[in-house]
Amino acid sequence: MKIIVCKSKEEVAKEAAKFVIDLVKEKNDCILGLATGSTPLGLYNELINDYNENGTSYKNVTTFNLDEYVGIDPSHEQSYHTYMQSNLFDKIDIKQDNVNLPNAVGDLEANAKEYETRIKEAGGIDLQILGIGSNGHIAFNEPGEDFESVTRVIELMESTRNDNSIFFESLDEVPTHAISMGIKSIMGASKILLLATGEGKADAINKMINGEVDESLPASVLQRHNDTILILDEDAARKLDCK
Ligand code: PGA
């Protein structure tokens, strides 16, 4: 794993944006794997700024998001569909037909299976953006999930529901389940960029780099991926010896 430590979260966003923009310029029909949450917001702003200033086009780009909550409508203000539309897709020239998020309404098992197939049929993900949970999860793959897992329905841990409750009126409103790409699906990406900012991630970051590769810390599996880059701010890198 390559590790880049930046002075601030703004620098993390700029650094990550360079990788995405370079790829989109080099391969205009690339497949991007996208994440939600607080961490990638700065990256998406950088992409929007670059689109407005330099006209980098996403016309031929396809995207696959990591996950979607079960039990809230895609039009709900906290759905990941809404997040992606308002924080990125509505502000660049990507085609709506080329954006993919798990469909968390209807036959969930069938939808999850179909999503995994869709990623494969598209040719696999060129560049996957990831965040990390304070418990070391990637996407909604919580501690203990099988490294061989593919897209499926997942029950969210209480700690994750608590972390995400800042986006909802109350903890009760936070969904209990999600459809999430699995660890094996994520490991299939050619290149992975994991972004982490803030002290709350320092422990998980240290363990994923310096600890055992173990299902109790899902992100540790990335030690086995041959092209993963971690982009951290100083707070998230605080517990690393190599800082
Ligand atoms: P965050 O979430 O970006 O909101 O901290 C990251 C994650 O849980 O994967």
Side-chain angles (χ1 to χ4, degrees):
M1 279 185 285
K2 186 175 163 200
I3 304 166
I4 301 173
V5 180
C6 301
K7 288 232 162 308
S8 62
K9 66 176 188 183
E10 290 75 21
E11 291 302 313
V12 169
K14 285 191 203 310
E15 197 61 43
K18 278 190 221 155
F19 284 96
V20 178
I21 293 164
D22 283 352
L23 174 65
V24 171
K25 283 184 171 156
E26 185 191 308
K27 185 178 178 192
N28 72 8
D29 60 349
C30 65
I31 316 258
L32 298 177
L34 299 178
T36 50
S38 328
T39 313
L41 286 173
L43 161 63
Y44 297 150
N45 276 332
E46 290 295 328
L47 298 183
I48 293 163
N49 290 341
D50 167 72
Y51 169 73
N52 289 328
E53 283 162 25
N54 307 314
T56 305
S57 177
Y58 293 79
K59 254 191 346 239
N60 298 317
V61 170
T62 297
T63 63
F64 284 92
N65 263 78
L66 289 168
D67 40 28
E68 179 58 290
Y69 287 123
V70 170
I72 57 174
D73 195 78
S75 65
H76 187 285
E77 65 171 335
Q78 291 308 335
S79 78
Y80 290 156
H81 281 75
T82 302
Y83 172 108
M84 288 311 302
Q85 285 305 135
S86 54
N87 292 310
L88 185 64
F89 298 152
D90 285 345
K91 298 175 178 163
I92 57 174
D93 64 347
I94 197 156
K95 291 189 190 134
Q96 207 57 45
D97 282 352
N98 292 349
V99 311
N100 299 277
L101 286 97
N103 175 7
V105 177
D107 184 341
L108 303 180
E109 302 293 338
N111 294 352
K113 218 169 159 194
E114 188 270 334
Y115 197 69
E116 189 73 26
T117 307
R118 218 189 306 165
I119 296 171
K120 284 207 183 83
E121 286 178 357
I125 290 167
D126 292 305
L127 176 64
Q128 176 68 56
I129 306 298
L130 281 184
I132 182 170
S134 55
N135 63 3
H137 75 202
I138 46 175
F140 276 129
N141 297 288
E142 303 284 19
E145 291 286 356
D146 194 335
F147 282 167
E148 291 301 310
S149 57
V150 294
T151 307
R152 70 216 179 286
V153 181
I154 284 180
E155 181 170 3
L156 306 182
M157 284 182 75
E158 277 314 293
S159 61
T160 297
R161 293 187 65 241
N162 268 311
D163 285 350
N164 290 5
S165 65
I166 52 166
F167 301 107
F168 292 82
E169 302 267 307
S170 69
L171 182 60
D172 283 350
E173 285 190 20
V174 184
T176 55
H177 291 75
I179 292 187
S180 176
M181 274 167 61
I183 294 180
K184 191 174 175 194
S185 339
I186 293 170
M187 290 292 279
S190 303
K191 188 182 195 79
I192 296 178
L193 282 190
L194 184 143
L195 318 184
T197 58
E199 220 179 326
K201 304 292 170 69
D203 207 35
I205 288 292
N206 183 44
K207 286 186 186 143
M208 76 165 278
I209 296 168
N210 295 319
E212 302 269 302
V213 177
D214 191 82
E215 286 166 358
S216 61
L217 196 98
S220 65
V221 75
L222 297 173
Q223 291 182 31
R224 293 186 183 152
H225 190 271
N226 63 11
D227 192 4
T228 287
I229 301 176
L230 269 60
I231 310 182
L232 315 172
D233 70 356
E234 290 186 343
D235 286 338
R238 186 161 289 185
K239 297 198 172 165
L240 293 181
D241 299 335
C242 55
K243 199 183 137 188

